[in-house]
Amino acid sequence: MHLAETIQQKMATDQLHSLSDNELHSLLEQSSSSSLVIDPQDKHYTTGDLISDLITKDIVSRKQKRDLLKVLISDKYLFKNIDTPLSNDVFKRVFALRLIETLIKNDDQFQIKLI
């Protein structure tokens, strides 16, 4: 069983309250390098969706979120082969943008408080 599937099963049964740094980085690598579908019933739920859920449900700690943001805003993800025309790395960049958006939406430091 893949790490992503194990994590999703634990989340579904409320058995997952935190994630190790190694698990998070392994999941990130798995997410950006494949289009693994976790639930065969839902063809659109990928490991990227799982990371977004982990962020949204605060299973990823604040420190992990900061570290994840640093990794995503790097030459490995957001700027991967950005100057290479017709590169498939555009998908990795979109993946990074999507997770960066989720991180920003779910971090109260970035939230604007309306009075």
Side-chain angles (χ1 to χ4, degrees), residues 72-83 93 96:
L72 291 169
I73 301 175
S74 71
D75 289 342
K76 188 174 180 181
Y77 288 93
L78 188 58
F79 298 103
K80 175 95 176 174
N81 292 324
I82 198 156
D83 56 354
R93 294 192 299 269

Side-chain angles (χ1 to χ4, degrees), residues 7-71:
I7 290 172
Q8 187 199 22
Q9 285 180 351
K10 286 181 179 180
M11 279 180 59
T13 58
D14 252 355
Q15 295 176 353
L16 186 68
H17 304 287
S18 66
L19 207 59
S20 74
D21 292 345
N22 287 336
E23 288 173 321
L24 181 59
H25 288 287
S26 294
L27 191 59
L28 182 64
E29 284 296 316
Q30 185 179 351
S31 297
S32 65
S33 65
S34 72
S35 60
L36 177 70
V37 173
I38 298 171
D39 181 1
Q41 299 299 324
D42 182 359
K43 300 290 185 200
H44 300 290
Y45 192 83
T46 64
T47 49
D49 296 319
L50 178 59
I51 294 175
S52 290
D53 285 350
L54 291 167
I55 292 166
T56 302
K57 294 178 181 179
D58 287 326
I59 293 172
V60 175
S61 73
R62 186 175 202 109
K63 180 188 178 306
Q64 288 173 321
K65 288 175 185 177
R66 283 193 312 263
D67 293 344
L68 185 58
L69 187 59
K70 288 177 189 175
V71 170

